[in-house]
Amino acid sequence: LLAVGANQREDDSFGIVTFNLYHDKADWPARRLLVIDGLRALQPDVIVLQEVLQDDGLRNQAEDLAQVLGYSAYFISIDAPDRTRRYGNAILTRHPVSARDWTPLRPLDDSRTAGMLRIGIGGRALDVFATHLHHEDTPAGAGKRAEQLADLMAFIDRTGGDAPRIVAGDFNIAAGRPELAALDTAGYQEAFTHLHPDDPSPTLNPHYFTDNARRIDQVYLQRDRLVALEARIVLDREGAPGTWPSDHFGLYVRAA
């Protein structure tokens, strides 16, 4: 683990989980119990979720998990609030929220968004940004991700305050790929890579992605403002045979 800076005490640390829910596929009622048990054991301060769904007969998954775990939920979607079926991302926290915002990411037909919460933890503010980028690992897909990252960075510049910043989510590309250089240039450091530079552990569940398991779920900390203390793969345990929390594993980061 890295040493904590002179102005940062380890007892001031906080935990964040990013996790792709896989919406309602693969027996959501059974997976839901595994997700609840895993998150309850971790007790993170912040939970960033992707592929969150609500539909006729399906309560908004983020709001459902938040109620069970004792968190508040901020659900972000390009789908109009009056629609029955809505799909998007969410940020959950068990701390006070003083600001929130969101934006769609181009191209607008890709259903991608970025959201933010300003959270008070231990007497200080923290800006948490969440996103889920385009999925195709092709030159065209890379172009869409680059456009979405440009929109994300502009959103962060527009809404971020003086508080330290975190950017978390499903980037649909492995850490270190050139498409993510915008984050490094803007002063962010990917926590898992920083602490475990030689660890190839994936967040794509190999049970689902037998030939292409990669770590595409990431947490970026603002360099010189936050220090990574711990980063590990979570929500990676099978329940009943063939039942996993998701087609992704989660990523837990503790920082100060």
Side-chain angles (χ1 to χ4, degrees), residues 108-123:
L108 299 182
D109 61 358
D110 200 29
S111 301
R112 308 291 175 171
T113 63
M116 71 84 69
L117 287 185
R118 182 164 300 131
I119 301 166
I121 301 179

Side-chain angles (χ1 to χ4, degrees), residues 11-29:
D11 58 5
D12 289 334
S13 68
F14 59 89
I16 180 170
V17 168
T18 184
F19 185 54
N20 185 312
L21 276 183
Y22 197 35
H23 35 91
D24 62 343
K25 291 187 176 180
D27 192 358
W28 167 244

Side-chain angles (χ1 to χ4, degrees), residues 40-52:
R40 183 174 281 142
L42 290 166
Q43 287 291 304
D45 296 278
V46 183
I47 304 167
V48 173
L49 299 175
Q50 304 85 46
E51 295 195 11
V52 178

Side-chain angles (χ1 to χ4, degrees), residues 70-156:
Y71 289 61
S72 63
Y74 180 41
F75 176 62
I76 304 146
S77 175
I78 66 168
D79 298 322
D82 60 352
R83 288 187 58 178
T84 299
R85 183 179 178 88
R86 302 184 73 206
Y87 172 86
N89 305 317
I91 309 174
L92 282 58
T93 185
R94 51 192 177 89
H95 296 284
V97 174
S98 60
R100 63 182 68 192
D101 206 342
W102 78 280
T103 189
L105 303 178
R106 296 170 295 165
L108 299 182
D109 61 358
D110 200 29
S111 301
R112 308 291 175 171
T113 63
M116 71 84 69
L117 287 185
R118 182 164 300 131
I119 301 166
I121 301 179
R124 62 172 178 160
L126 182 70
D127 284 354
V128 178
F129 294 87
T131 196
H132 184 192
L133 302 185
H134 184 75
H135 67 283
E136 293 176 328
D137 194 3
T138 63
K144 289 182 180 181
R145 278 188 295 277
E147 186 174 40
Q148 290 164 357
L149 275 167
D151 286 350
L152 171 64
M153 303 315 296
F155 173 68
I156 292 172

